[in-house]
Amino acid sequence: MKLLKTACSLLLSVIAINAVQAQTTKPADTLVQYLDKLVASKDSADKTMLRSRLADLSKAKTEKEVLTAANYYYRIGDTKKSDAIYSNIATRFPLGTQARNEASKDFYLLKTAAEAEAAYKAWIKKFPPTMYENTKVDDRLAYDYVRAVIAGKFAAEKNVAKANEYANMLEVDFWKGNAYSGITGAFYKNGDLANAEIYAKKAMDNAFSYIDGKKGNENWAKFSASGYAGLTSTYANILFERKKYAEALKYSEIAYKKSTSLSPNLNYRYAQILMGLNRNQEAYDKLEEVVKAGKATPEMAADFKKLYVKVKGSENGFDAYASAIREAYLGNLNKQLTKGMVNEPAPGFTLADLNGKQVSLADYKGKIVIIDFWATWCGPCKASFPAMQMAVNKYKDDDNVKFLFIHTWEKVADPVKDAADYIKGMKYSFEVLMDVKDAETKVNKVVSSYKVNGIPAKFVIDAAGNIRFKLTGFDGSNEAAVDELSMMIDMAKTKS
């Protein structure tokens, strides 16, 4: 399952990059240069002219011009007009790129590969690639997204020939590594390690072709290159499971050296491969890095103790050594958190929970409150939830600690059902509140009041109602996350 999480993360990342590019890339034409000049100007006359020009563009006869208007409305903060244009553009241009993308967005929800293939054939007949521009590196991504989904569905059904057929249709080279990674995951999940190995290598080799600027230094090339370490680790994992230890070691070493920060799972697999080759001292060294960072899972800790016995000859002294490591780790963590502690009034709010009950931050005055902003589409948010459930369980009998999981930045028509279905399906015992977009401003007010730029975003609020700690993101270590959050809670209690 770790393999699948990696693939999913890569897919989400490349989608995010293309979304950003769609908003920020500037075509070299005079219209865009003119609009940029008006946006940058502080002259009120220019601002009036900008509004007038955007109003004209929003009524234009080409989708490209109308999309330009929507993008610039978004840039100047008029999300209401921008959203209004986007919501209607597929109707105005039924064969445009937005209509094409809308028509394909739910392909992944289709249950069988046959259904997905039939939908693809009807879709591509209505929206043939030849109807659209193919001048930029990502102009065919809309088609590759769908082809990769279908290839993955055939792989999941063990139809290797059809999976290969759709994989071979992929056109956008810089994205092939991500597509191959998804197909790898599908084969891996159904136990076909032979084909998982083939596609893992394809993904890794594609990313390798972009490292060190081999194919340029544009954002898309850098993104493709950035996946190399993770994809190499995935390939090493599969080789290990196929008991190809010597070959697995080669790629695990590459992934280890390419990694820019400690990755517990990468180190652990490296250690396991070394253990398989009876290179126990080296395996011990790799696991020791994880243990000292406080990021060892129970499984890693158990193997570390086994390696200690093999390397030292007995378990004598292990408990004292493990305690010393733990004490040093917690001491360093305390220093880091003390340095990062803040003291800011927490913005108040009242939101509905999943049952419609109104809940206010003020209801928990005198308690330590942990707020976790999240969304169902956010991979890192969901990846952090097992750790958050561990934390919730740890404090379930502490009446002075309260966890609130605030769903925000929704992307579906019914976010309440979306959030409820996910939480129920995963069996999390979270209190979820809904920070839905304001009907008029299209702004999620609570997350905006906390000045959040990315999710997951967590805040620890003390009993006096002041923010003491802010966290963004998740590094993948449940145990370390619980340690960190627990220390924050204890420090917030002391400072209240």
Side-chain angles (χ1 to χ4, degrees):
M1 293 307 294
K2 290 173 184 173
L3 179 74
L4 292 176
K5 285 182 182 177
T6 301
C8 181
S9 176
L10 286 168
L11 177 59
L12 289 173
S13 297
V14 76
I15 291 172
I17 281 180
N18 284 291
V20 170
Q21 287 179 334
Q23 293 177 13
T24 61
T25 301
K26 299 178 181 178
D29 60 49
T30 55
L31 172 61
V32 168
Q33 292 168 0
Y34 176 59
L35 293 176
D36 284 345
K37 182 179 178 181
L38 293 178
V39 169
S41 175
K42 297 187 182 301
D43 189 321
S44 60
D46 284 341
K47 296 300 182 187
T48 301
M49 179 59 72
L50 175 63
R51 287 278 180 178
S52 175
R53 192 70 185 91
L54 293 183
D56 290 341
L57 285 171
S58 67
K59 300 171 186 175
K61 294 183 178 181
T62 70
E63 184 188 38
K64 186 174 182 180
E65 289 175 297
V66 176
L67 283 173
T68 298
N71 287 336
Y72 275 88
Y73 274 127
Y74 181 87
R75 281 184 59 183
I76 64 175
D78 194 340
T79 56
K80 187 175 181 180
K81 278 192 171 62
S82 179
D83 288 349
I85 292 173
Y86 274 117
S87 67
N88 191 46
I89 201 163
T91 302
R92 290 179 61 185
F93 302 96
L95 294 178
T97 58
Q98 296 299 303
R100 178 192 67 186
N101 296 344
E102 280 287 315
S104 69
K105 70 178 183 178
D106 292 332
F107 277 25
Y108 72 97
L109 295 175
L110 297 173
K111 290 184 178 180
T112 69
E115 289 175 317
E117 182 178 43
Y120 168 78
K121 289 181 176 179
W123 175 72
I124 204 166
K125 182 178 180 180
K126 183 176 181 180
F127 303 100
T130 52
M131 280 178 54
Y132 307 92
E133 287 186 357
N134 190 22
T135 57
K136 299 193 297 293
V137 70
D138 59 351
D139 275 337
R140 288 291 181 263
L141 267 179
Y143 297 96
D144 277 3
Y145 289 153
V146 178
R147 291 160 180 158
V149 166
I150 297 172
K153 286 184 179 295
F154 277 119
E157 294 177 6
K158 300 185 179 183
N159 190 331
V160 178
K162 293 294 285 187
N164 290 342
E165 177 186 336
Y166 278 90
N168 290 334
M169 292 182 189
L170 297 171
E171 297 179 63
V172 183
D173 189 70
F174 88 87
W175 194 70
K176 285 182 179 179
N178 299 278
Y180 293 151
S181 183
I183 299 167
T184 299
F187 278 124
Y188 180 87
K189 189 175 181 180
N190 72 30
D192 186 347
L193 295 185
N195 277 296
E197 179 184 333
I198 290 170
Y199 275 95
K201 188 172 189 306
K202 282 176 176 282
M204 178 186 69
D205 289 345
N206 178 267
F208 180 77
S209 72
Y210 283 89
I211 66 170
D212 301 325
K214 290 188 182 78
K215 293 184 178 178
N217 289 301
E218 293 84 359
N219 284 340
W220 47 267
K222 289 178 180 178
F223 170 77
S224 188
S226 72
Y228 180 62
L231 293 169
T232 302
S233 179
T234 295
Y235 184 53
N237 288 346
I238 294 172
L239 292 171
F240 171 80
E241 293 195 30
R242 301 198 75 199
K243 295 182 169 53
K244 298 181 178 182
Y245 297 131
E247 193 176 357
L249 180 64
K250 171 186 173 182
Y251 290 101
S252 191
E253 285 175 341
I254 291 172
Y256 179 81
K257 290 175 182 177
K258 284 286 183 181
S259 181
T260 56
S261 60
L262 176 67
S263 170
N265 290 329
L266 193 158
N267 272 49
Y268 186 41
R269 182 46 53 93
Y270 196 177
Q272 287 178 308
I273 294 168
L274 290 165
M275 289 165 68
L277 295 169
N278 203 33
R279 291 165 60 172
N280 294 319
Q281 180 64 59
E282 294 169 84
Y284 177 88
D285 294 341
K286 294 297 174 289
L287 265 186
E288 188 179 44
E289 293 178 10
V290 181
V291 173
K292 284 184 173 180
K295 297 184 176 183
T297 65
E299 184 182 16
M300 293 176 191
D303 275 347
F304 180 64
K305 185 173 183 178
K306 291 177 184 176
L307 284 167
Y308 180 95
V309 173
K310 288 183 179 180
V311 170
K312 306 294 184 182
S314 76
E315 65 177 59
N316 291 340
F318 177 79
D319 290 342
Y321 179 59
S323 295
I325 289 178
R326 178 73 176 168
E327 186 176 346
Y329 157 67
L330 292 175
N332 288 331
L333 179 59
N334 185 279
K335 289 178 183 178
Q336 293 171 18
L337 295 182
T338 299
K339 186 177 180 181
M341 202 171 192
V342 298
N343 189 5
E344 304 170 3
F349 58 80
T350 299
L351 294 171
D353 68 11
L354 294 176
N355 297 312
K357 176 186 173 184
Q358 296 295 302
V359 176
S360 298
L361 179 61
D363 297 339
Y364 303 107
K365 187 176 181 180
K367 300 180 185 293
I368 305 300
V369 180
I370 298 89
I371 294 174
D372 187 343
F373 288 103
W374 70 287
T376 53
W377 52 263
C378 170
C381 299
K382 294 186 288 188
S384 75
F385 276 2
M388 293 306 293
Q389 184 66 67
M390 289 166 64
V392 169
N393 292 345
K394 180 176 180 178
Y395 289 95
K396 64 183 175 64
D397 296 323
D398 189 337
D399 292 335
N400 292 314
V401 177
K402 184 68 179 178
F403 289 81
L404 299 175
F405 293 81
I406 302 180
H407 188 281
T408 191
W409 290 345
E410 72 274 12
K411 294 186 176 181
V412 296
D414 190 348
V416 176
K417 182 179 185 303
D418 185 45
D421 287 349
Y422 179 75
I423 295 297
K424 183 179 179 181
M426 297 301 294
K427 299 181 180 178
Y428 290 129
S429 58
F430 297 163
E431 180 167 357
V432 177
L433 306 181
M434 299 302 300
D435 177 32
V436 297
K437 288 185 177 69
D438 181 90
E440 287 297 315
T441 65
K442 304 299 183 182
V443 171
N444 301 86
K445 290 184 176 180
V446 178
V447 76
S448 296
S449 72
Y450 278 77
K451 299 178 181 178
V452 171
N453 294 316
I455 54 176
K458 298 173 175 60
F459 294 82
V460 178
I461 301 170
D462 67 17
N466 296 310
I467 296 171
R468 288 297 187 167
F469 296 101
K470 305 175 183 180
L471 291 167
T472 302
F474 178 64
D475 73 357
S477 173
N478 293 342
E479 287 69 25
V482 174
D483 279 339
E484 184 177 35
L485 194 54
S486 298
M487 190 172 287
M488 288 178 175
I489 291 170
D490 290 342
M491 293 171 74
K493 284 181 177 181
T494 302
K495 296 295 182 179
S496 296

